[in-house]
Amino acid sequence: MPAIKNKRILTSLLQKMYWIESEMEQLGIWEARIELMNENIEALETLSHDSDKHWIIIEKWLTKTNIKIPQSRPNGVPEHVFDFDGLAAQDIFSKILKYEVLSMNAYKDVLNTDPTVIEELLPDENDKKDFLRDFKQLIVDEEKHAIICRKQIGGFAKVMY
């Protein structure tokens, strides 16, 4: 059964994910870089660069579908300040992992949108195919990010998705 059956709900989710990728994840990763300095830099750079790539992809689809690009925190996205002061790398990556799993699940919801809603948003068949391809890639990237975080955490991390 499709997770999203309404264009307005899909629009809202896309705006939220734009905000999470462009603002929240970036701030969290930068806060982690400040706290960890040169430790785990390769993992943090991968997460940061991919997050930049992700919000650019979402921005492309917001623009193409004439959906307003959020300039402030969208409704439903909590105000959040990352404070990693004094935390060990494992604890920092454990917190980052939660957002990677959140993003992955949100992108799965986008892919599970009722096809008529996607068609309403993107009537051109090529656009629909490109849209679905982009979101499949976002899921793959988020799965990779979860693996990166788990590796930095070491051992088993309990995150349900």
Side-chain angles (χ1 to χ4, degrees), residues 113-129:
T113 297
D114 187 308
T116 59
V117 173
I118 293 176
E119 189 168 315
E120 183 181 350
L121 198 61
L122 296 161
D124 182 87
E125 190 63 33
N126 289 327
D127 286 343
K128 283 188 287 197
K129 287 178 185 175

Side-chain angles (χ1 to χ4, degrees), residues 49-67:
H49 295 165
D50 283 358
S51 186
D52 280 339
K53 181 177 78 173
H54 294 177
W55 70 257
I56 290 167
I57 289 169
I58 297 169
E59 182 179 63
K60 171 182 80 173
W61 290 110
L62 290 173
T63 301
K64 190 166 201 75
T65 57
N66 295 314
I67 298 170

